Amino acid sequence: MSLRYEVVLSCFLREETPETVLATLRRHLGLDESPPAAPYDAYPLLEPDPDSRLPGGDAATLRFQPEAHAWGLFSRNQWLDDDLGELATVLDLIAPHVAEPGYGGYVREDGDARGTAITFRDGTYGLLGHEPGGSAA
């Protein structure tokens, strides 16, 4: 039986984030069903599962927020441990475009009281207690 994890991404992407990055992110979030532009974005990694076992369900949003002059990204999904290594695909995509360094979400095993923070700095990412640019799994 696989372990399950709650994965939350919550950050701002700079206003000038390239449209190709935003389009890829929209496909991962399940907000755009057009064919993928590249093989690495073929599977929607952040698309909400209507049958999610998370309290309140999965969520996915990407919208431009004029007051912040940035793209607000929020995603909350349940992942199986077998798929958790794919998180690096998303983090590699967004890290160079994160507007402010610091907290960007967390990964938490179901039932755990605390998660592992995802952080962004200098165009890369890390997990709290790990160096930026490290593996997501």
Side-chain angles (χ1 to χ4, degrees), residues 99-118:
E100 297 179 9
Y103 177 82
Y106 65 88
V107 178
R108 180 186 66 84
E109 186 178 344
D110 279 3
D112 281 356
R114 289 194 272 181
T116 301
I118 299 168

Side-chain angles (χ1 to χ4, degrees), residues 34-83:
S34 64
Y40 63 83
D41 68 338
Y43 183 75
L45 297 170
L46 303 173
E47 184 173 15
D49 178 355
D51 298 321
S52 174
R53 295 168 59 182
L54 289 173
D58 289 3
T61 185
L62 175 68
R63 68 183 178 96
F64 187 72
Q65 295 179 246
E67 68 283 356
H69 302 284
W71 292 91
L73 167 64
F74 180 80
S75 172
R76 177 182 184 242
N77 305 88
Q78 189 169 63
W79 292 52
L80 295 176
D81 59 348
D82 295 341
D83 299 327

